[in-house]
Amino acid sequence: MPQSRQRLDTLTALARKVLWLSTWTIHHANHIRPNADGLKVGGHQASSASLATIMSALYFSVLRPEDRVAVKPHASPIFHAIQYLFGRQSRARLENFRGFKGAQSYPSRTKDVDDVDFSTGSVGLGVAQTLFSSLVQDYVSAHGWMKDRREGRMIALVGDAEMDEGNIFEALLEGWKHGLRNTWWVVDYNRQSLDAVVREGLWEKFETMFRNFGWDVVIVKYGRLMLQAFAEPGGEALRRWIDNCPNQMYAALCFQGGAAFRRRLHDEIGDQAEVSRLIDARCDDELLALMSNLGGHDMASMLEAFESIDHDRPVCFIAYTIKGVGLPFQGHKDNHAGLMTPAQIETYRKAQNIRPGHEWDRFEGLAQDEAALDAFLKAAPINAGGERRLSAPVLEVPQQLAFKPAPEMSTQQGFGLILNELARGDSALASRIVTASPDVTVSTNLGAWVNRRGLFARAEKADLFRSEKIPTTFNWDFSPKGQHIELGIAEMNLFILMSALGLSHSINGERLLPIATLYDPFIQRGLDALNYACYQDARFMVAATPSGITLAPEGGAHQSIATPLIGIAQDGLASFEPAFVDELAVIMRWGFEHMQRDDVEGGDAADGMRAGGSVYLRLSTRTVEQPQRMMTPGLQKAITDGAYWLREPGPNCELVVAFTGAVAPEAIAAVGLLGDSRRDVGLLAITSADRLHAGWTAARRLRRARRGSRHASHIETLLAPLPRSCGIVTVLDGHPAALGWIGAVCGHRMEALGVEHFGQTGSIAELYRHYGIDANAIIDAAESLVAGAPVLHRKMAV
């Protein structure tokens, strides 16, 4: 689209204003705001500057309401300044940048009040999120749920040093496999990382890589001043010098200024009349303006690049910039930690025509009419569609999730059976479930679900084995209506996809209920992405299986120890480890509702815990005997609250054995043997150490906040009737600290059994005995706590 002079002038002026506001925001945080001693935000000051023009072009002219942007983390002040000009960010929050309740140092969906599409606090993750969000948009569209909404572009603003993050490359491969569309990545190619100047020729590697993955590549290297100079006599010689100048040298000259450029150009190009006249026709300031007029700083060049795209293929824009452009430390390799001094900011203020005391005024220092500028901003395309953060109705969940019971089952088997029963029906709930797995679909018991619901792809693709009439257990037909997304072996991709799927109600206005399956130990391979997804308040369910040393023959590399602690510590993720399949059915039903509840700051008013979030199921392949019982409402609530009495203690209880998950047979056997010599032994089934601990700490907060409150948590209610002399033994196939806190609830003595060291191969009985979580180890722990006759008839090792 041809650019009118007036429009370009307005956009350029607004970009200059954005740069001032972002620079002043950081200066205010470091030098003016009270109690800001030691607050170091220099990285923002340099990194933000290079994106002022690019982001102004996008937000003020290019973006539509349906487009979504992941903003480079250190460009947060630029983003907040843009939102301030739009009226979506307050001056008070800008003045409190990086302070409590102020504008966040990295854009955050959950902590910022302005229009953040994706949180980008951990570099690289926001970039990959845009790719998976585009795939999710394709999924929603293919299922006929986009209604009258237009497809949006998912855009990432990427630092070139950020491209070192491995998860970006993993995501690129997955995007290629799924036919990625409607995705733009804008690489802020300032050729600097936090510590250094990047290697020569990096842009060529980027270009080759993106083209190999099917992306279009648009290189925005020169601004209009440069292009005009190249058209002058001697201009081609200047272009060649610019193209051949090493990154470090160009950055150093940008810092040194126009006189340094002049000396270097004369020395290296030599005394050539035409190019010498071109150089000498400009004063030092004009020469610096020319040489720093890279494409990423030129409004016309960026608009031309963005507006030239008339297709839905993925595009990588490589925009040449100078880190810290326009500021005293532009180009300096140490500028990530650089901050403008009060004297420098004063000089900059005067240069921007900002009157003292008017630093926060929206249009201060601009020559354009304020009413016209305000009208221009209101007319920006991104403002044409009203509220950009959408919502979707809550899906009804059946009162019970059915499964085909058997006398002996594993929780992993039960998970597959529950999903299979859902897949057989035509409920709205089943239609909105979408599963994904990193190449372990079959081995995590998703096979039956996939057979019934199919794999997702934008184009039909039949299972060749079935079409060739080769016997096979699984039907791997791909279609636009499929409900399983198969991924390669990359847990980072899995959790970033969960983040994208789990935000569909907000991004696409259509609710999905994502379920991820993976091997439990490999949660740790994708932990950063899992944390990122929870930080964004994405909603999903993770079924991690098999878990613990119970996966005995596989050896230590596939056995998980720390994951129960991850389940407790991870905010936004309710963690469960059921022992029995009827518990799992109750938990999954609760989970589908929990995934749809709106969370509120401070937690649910009734118990202080999170009202909604994601769910983590730690499951096992161990087959255990299933209880025959009625699932009453009270038992269901106790299961989802975290624990219930499998054997309720009497008033004179001497001992309680509390267990979690696959060690149920050992705990039951130990209690049976201990009952012969101990007066009263209770058996506590813990389904969620996470929920118990969260409820306990929330109850204490409520009691402190509400003087006189008698609110008791679930675990306090369960343990309160026990005599203080009662001992507690806890046991799980995981780190003992996951349950080791329970003795502190009511002051009971306890022994915590679990696994603290890497696993190894062997039978379950051998490993349980070696690591001290078998029935005899439970008995030994009980005897150390409670006096009495020794248990003579121990459980014989198998």
Side-chain angles (χ1 to χ4, degrees), residues 85 146 234 334 371 422 460 474 524 534 547 596 696 724 737 773:
L85 291 180
M146 287 294 284
D334 299 338
L422 280 169
E460 300 271 355
F474 302 103
Q524 293 166 117
C534 292
S547 60
Q596 301 183 74
W696 179 45
R724 285 292 297 271
I773 58 173

Side-chain angles (χ1 to χ4, degrees), residues 420 446-455 466 473-476:
N420 184 45
L446 272 180
W449 165 267
V450 176
N451 278 348
R452 294 188 183 279
R453 292 289 173 157
L455 292 103
R466 294 179 68 87
T473 307
F474 302 103
N475 175 17
W476 296 107

